[in-house]
Structure formats: structure tokens, C-alpha cells
Amino acid sequence: MLSSSGPNCAAPIPTDVVIDVCVCTFQRTDSLHCLLASLAAQRAAPRFRVVIADNHPSPIEAGRIAHWAESLALQVAYVHAPAGNISIARNACLEQASAEFIAFIDDDEVASPDWLALLAHAMQDADVVFGPALAHYDAGMPAWIRQGDFYSKVPAQRRDGSCDTGHTANVLIRRRCIGALRFDPALGRSGGEDTLFFALLKQNGARLRYCASAPVYESIDAARARFSWLCLRAYASGQAHARVLRFSRSRRITQAPLAALKVLYCAIATLSTCWSAIRWRRNALRACLHTGVLTTLLGARDLELYGSGTQERWAQ
């Protein structure tokens, strides 16, 4: 079943659908098809529907998605959510979703066969469960990228296994804990909208957990396989962390000096590990992250990394 009446349409959903799997897409036709095929191959999963929000200015994927939904025997709701702002697309998915649980997965990922079943099982003592987004590297990628695994995404965890925030690359959310909260459109081109969203869920009392056994897989685009892109992404992550700090209860007067000390420490660590192709880069990226925290706390504007080919321009 396909709905394409617009971002606020209310497509019918059977009462036995337990999960709405939300996918935001922007000019990734081939990888989107691979993702849908992996969803069609899910094993022992609760009944689910796929909600696709097309973030392109024109609804260019509607016809192809209708064909794929029929050929793969998937229930799909299509939403046109222009343009080039990921928060708009994510919010369109939230407006469309009506099942008890909402999952998010990226349009350039492939779900493991038991992905949805394992996330659902892990929800027994949680409101939000994150899984790992594991990177797949072509043989032609630089050795330091492959060996250091710089592109896999795993949320930070506390000793008790809880998380303070996370990502939309691989997550299952109990719908009732979202309420009126939405992704901030002001962050839809800079990134970090998901970091802030989940931090606010945590602040509102949601229980955030991690499930290592429910991975999704992402093939890394050669255009992003550059240290310069990793530095920019780390800086943007720092900016996202700074926004979270603004909502925390920690003393704001100490946040900027602490970030400055961390930048200095990571810079020294970068120099002291220059003999290791992986370690100096990892320390340099930490320095970039804390620089993003520091400059944002001091009032710097957000980088615009996404939408309308921005990724490719930054990666050059």
C-alpha cells in the first residue's frame, strides 16, 4: 500500500502493525532499494510498516517506491517532505507514524536479518534502544580508515549500560515517550538534530539503552573517505554536544574552560602519537570535536554539512 498525498497525510494502518520503520531519503535510489530488500527479509519481526519521507524538492522516488513496495510485499507509506533539511523529513515521519513503536534507519544502510526482532526484544526495560551502525569499507579505502574503523557509529554508554543520547541511524523508540517533541529544523543542515532530540527524551525521563546484537551496515562513499570530512564531522558533533550541554544541569561557567583544556590535551596527544597513522588521527578528531564544543559555547554559528550537495563540497 502506498500513500503519497503529502507530508501530513494520515495513511491507514492496520491495528496489528506494531512498528513503523521510518526512512528519510534524498537522492539515493540504489541504496534505498537495497535497504527495502533487507527490510522485506526480516526474520521473526513484529508486524511493521515502512514510512518513507522523500526530502527532495520534487517527489522523484514515489513511482519507484510504489513498484518496490509491491514487488517486495512491503506495506509502505510515502511522504513528500521537501527540501534538503533532514529534520523536516524526520518530523514528517513522526507525524505519519501511528504504531506503538517507531524505528529509524538511514537510506544508505542495510538491516541485518534479525535487526527488528532483536531491537524489539531489547525494549522490555527501555523506551529507546540504539543498535550499532557498522561501516563497510571497500578494499580501495586507505588502510588507516579500514583498520581504525572511523565510520562505524556506536552511542556512548555509561557503566550501567544506559545512554545519554544517540543517533537515528539505528534506533527503536516507544512512541508514547515522544509526545510533542520534534527534531529541530534549525539543525536540519548542520547535523546533530538527533543528538539533541534523544538528549531531550532522556531529560524528559525516557530510558535509553544499547543493543549490540542488532546491527545495520553502511557502505562508505569514497567521496567521504577523507580525513578532512572526518574532521568536519567531528567538529559538527562537538557543536551538537554543546547544544546538549546547554540543557544539562552542569554549571555553564565551567563548560567553555573545560572544553578548552580538552582541546589542548587532545592536541598534545596528537603530537605525541604521530608515529601511529590511526592514533594521531583519532586524537586529532577528538581535538576537532572539543573545538566544536568550545566555539559553539562561545557563540559560533553551525556548519552546514548536509543538503543540496553540501557533503560533496565539504569533502573536496
Side-chain angles (χ1 to χ4, degrees):
M1 178 184 298
L2 185 75
S3 171
S4 58
S5 56
N8 296 317
C9 62
I13 177 171
T15 56
D16 59 344
V17 170
V18 178
I19 301 173
D20 276 319
V21 179
C22 297
V23 182
C24 302
T25 191
F26 184 84
Q27 294 182 320
R28 283 177 171 162
T29 301
D30 293 340
S31 60
L32 178 61
H33 181 250
C34 292
L35 166 61
L36 293 177
S38 73
L39 295 178
Q42 290 296 293
R43 299 184 299 211
R47 178 80 181 272
F48 67 91
R49 175 181 69 153
V50 183
V51 178
I52 299 177
D54 189 353
N55 206 206
H56 194 275
S58 302
I60 59 173
E61 300 290 1
R64 279 185 286 260
I65 290 172
H67 172 71
W68 295 335
E70 183 176 358
S71 63
L72 293 170
L74 283 172
Q75 184 186 359
V76 175
Y78 174 89
V79 183
H80 183 219
N85 182 311
I86 191 64
S87 291
I88 291 175
R90 297 202 201 288
N91 289 336
C93 287
L94 292 181
E95 295 299 326
Q96 176 78 357
S98 54
E100 180 182 359
F101 298 98
I102 298 173
F104 277 97
I105 185 171
D106 289 346
D107 63 347
D108 57 349
E109 295 173 341
V110 171
S112 54
D114 300 311
W115 169 66
L116 211 49
L118 290 171
L119 284 184
H121 179 74
M123 289 294 287
Q124 294 178 1
D125 62 345
D127 299 301
V128 179
V129 176
F130 303 102
L134 303 179
H136 171 74
Y137 305 100
D138 292 336
M141 293 279 183
W144 62 267
I145 288 181
R146 290 184 282 107
Q147 295 170 10
D149 191 18
F150 283 89
Y151 283 87
S152 290
K153 303 169 190 171
V154 177
Q157 303 163 68
R158 293 187 176 272
R159 291 182 179 179
D160 62 358
S162 66
C163 303
D164 291 330
T165 187
H167 54 232
T168 47
N170 180 358
V171 65
L172 184 64
I173 313 165
R174 198 178 300 274
R175 184 171 177 267
R176 70 182 183 218
C177 77
I178 297 175
L181 184 63
R182 294 296 183 265
F183 295 92
D184 188 348
L187 306 178
R189 293 183 184 272
S190 63
E193 78 293 333
D194 50 353
T195 302
L196 181 58
F197 178 86
F198 290 114
L200 292 175
L201 278 185
K202 170 87 170 187
Q203 182 176 294
N204 292 340
R207 300 164 296 171
L208 280 58
R209 296 287 185 269
Y210 173 65
C211 178
S213 61
V216 300
Y217 302 95
E218 177 184 356
S219 294
I220 302 305
D221 186 350
R224 290 186 292 154
R226 301 167 183 259
F227 186 62
S228 59
W229 171 251
L230 285 169
C231 289
L232 289 165
R233 192 179 73 164
Y235 180 87
S237 295
Q239 292 188 307
H241 182 62
R243 288 188 289 269
V244 172
L245 287 175
R246 291 171 179 165
F247 290 91
S248 70
R249 297 178 181 177
S250 59
R251 295 179 61 189
R252 294 189 178 187
I253 194 172
T254 66
Q255 291 172 356
L258 180 59
L261 288 174
K262 289 181 178 180
V263 171
L264 178 60
Y265 174 84
C266 292
I268 294 172
T270 300
L271 293 174
S272 65
T273 56
C274 61
W275 49 270
S276 170
I278 294 174
R279 292 183 64 182
W280 81 257
R281 286 182 170 91
R282 202 175 296 284
N283 286 322
L285 292 174
R286 294 293 297 174
C288 290
L289 183 145
H290 294 302
T291 300
V293 174
L294 176 61
T295 57
T296 303
L297 290 174
L298 296 178
R301 55 185 269 178
D302 292 331
L303 289 178
E304 185 175 303
L305 294 184
Y306 302 100
S308 302
T310 313
Q311 293 188 47
E312 291 73 13
R313 291 197 300 272
W314 276 115
Q316 288 176 358

